[in-house]
Amino acid sequence: MSSLQIIQDHDKWRKGTGGAPAGLAGQSDGNVYLGLDLGLITFTSSTFKSSRFGTTSFVDAVWTACRFTGCSFSRCDMQRIKVSGCSFVGCTFAASQLRASSFSDCTFSHCNLISLNFDASHWSQVKLLDCRGQQVSAADLVGEQVDFTGSRFEDMQFTNARIN
């Protein structure tokens, strides 16, 4: 079954219109997704290239060992998402909510982070390499072994953050 069908079926299940709970494992994707409810979905060892997610909910989703290249996440609700062992290359995250999210052993390279909120989130062994950011905020963010090499952020507002 294609990644598109699996994702659409999960959205239907979440909205109570049929479908089934689902996850991607070892899939490849490059589709556009708008207005979906992908809460609780799992992505494992999957590759996303130029995938576009807009106004999509990933609340309580789990992503493990995935690669995202040239993807965009705009106006997404990613609260309580758990992301581990993933890499993001040339991706854009804009106007999205990442409250209480968890990122471990992840690398963001040449990414754009715009108008994001990381309140009460946890980062462990996260690399933000040559990234750009504007209006990134976080209250009570905890970060361990975070590397910002080559990155530049403007209008960054961290309150009670404990990084490194």
Side-chain angles (χ1 to χ4, degrees):
M1 186 180 297
S2 74
S3 62
L4 175 64
Q5 186 64 52
I6 293 168
I7 288 172
Q8 288 174 335
D9 283 351
H10 187 86
D11 175 62
K12 287 178 186 175
W13 170 70
R14 293 285 297 163
K15 292 178 177 172
T17 59
L24 297 182
Q27 295 279 331
S28 293
D29 185 82
N31 294 298
V32 174
Y33 302 99
L34 300 173
L36 300 184
D37 184 345
L38 300 180
L40 300 172
I41 198 163
T42 60
F43 293 161
T44 305
S45 300
S46 294
T47 302
F48 296 83
K49 185 171 183 177
S50 300
S51 297
R52 304 273 183 248
F53 298 92
T55 59
T56 295
S57 173
F58 290 102
V59 173
D60 294 316
V62 177
W63 300 352
T64 307
C66 294
R67 181 171 176 86
F68 297 83
T69 304
C71 296
S72 70
F73 302 86
S74 178
R75 297 183 319 266
C76 292
D77 186 352
M78 303 170 96
Q79 294 184 76
R80 298 185 307 276
I81 192 169
K82 293 188 182 356
V83 183
S84 63
C86 293
S87 64
F88 300 86
V89 179
C91 295
T92 298
F93 293 82
S96 295
Q97 177 61 254
L98 290 119
R99 180 175 173 64
S101 60
S102 173
F103 288 86
S104 64
D105 193 27
C106 293
T107 300
F108 296 82
S109 180
H110 303 284
C111 292
N112 293 305
L113 311 175
I114 306 159
S115 298
L116 303 179
N117 179 285
F118 288 98
D119 287 356
S121 294
H122 186 261
W123 298 349
S124 177
Q125 296 179 329
V126 172
K127 295 178 182 174
L128 295 134
L129 308 175
D130 298 310
C131 294
R132 298 290 174 258
Q134 294 177 321
Q135 298 176 333
V136 176
S137 65
D140 302 315
L141 170 69
V142 175
E144 301 155 352
Q145 297 179 342
V146 179
D147 182 353
F148 289 97
T149 300
S151 293
R152 181 177 172 175
F153 289 86
E154 297 175 12
D155 194 17
M156 192 172 187
Q157 298 178 14
F158 284 4
T159 306
N160 295 323
R162 296 179 313 274
I163 298 176
N164 293 337

